[in-house]
Amino acid sequence: MTDNTRGALRFLAELIAWVATPWALWPHSPALAIGAVLLLVGLPTLFSTPGDRPGGDSPFPVPGAITILLLLLQLTAATASSWTLLPTWPAAAITALCLTIPITDHPRWHRLLTTPRPTAANATAHGWTKR
């Protein structure tokens, strides 16, 4: 599987999380729905592992494990929201997608976990300084 295919699957799951989570939360609390969007979109925008994004790094470098945890948060939100909003077969398909991503993303996760942790000492050496 190519990196583009893995990225497309990951983006599809993220998109589902970004749309379905606030949709599922809105009837309970509009503030919670807005907060979910800020959390699901904002955290990965601000925090990422240097060198992981083809479009550039985020303002705040974090270890690969944090990037993986943020993705797991997205996958969990997509799965839970789909079961709240959708009939069984689309919710099951989304769940299958979300369960597939950790398997297909294994090479990326391995790279993220073996990347040195960003610290003040090695940030400059690895080009992780703010631009």
Side-chain angles (χ1 to χ4, degrees), residues 60-82:
F60 303 102
V62 295
I66 302 299
T67 299
I68 292 170
L69 288 174
L70 290 173
L71 177 60
L72 290 173
L73 174 67
Q74 304 259 357
L75 298 176
T76 302
T79 301
S81 300
S82 68

Side-chain angles (χ1 to χ4, degrees), residues 3 6-7 10 71 100-110:
D3 283 342
R6 286 191 286 266
R10 196 169 50 248
L71 177 60
T100 301
I101 289 171
I103 297 164
T104 61
D105 244 13
H106 183 264
R108 176 178 174 249
W109 287 21
H110 177 73

Side-chain angles (χ1 to χ4, degrees), residues 13-95:
E14 290 172 349
L15 188 60
I16 292 167
W18 299 340
V19 172
T21 303
W23 186 9
L25 292 173
W26 190 268
H28 304 288
S29 168
L32 192 58
I34 293 167
V37 171
L38 293 175
L39 182 80
L40 292 171
V41 176
L43 288 180
T45 302
L46 292 174
F47 303 99
S48 70
T49 303
D52 185 45
R53 293 185 182 179
D57 294 330
S58 66
F60 303 102
V62 295
I66 302 299
T67 299
I68 292 170
L69 288 174
L70 290 173
L71 177 60
L72 290 173
L73 174 67
Q74 304 259 357
L75 298 176
T76 302
T79 301
S81 300
S82 68
W83 284 101
T84 302
L85 293 171
L86 303 172
T88 302
W89 71 268
I94 291 168
T95 301

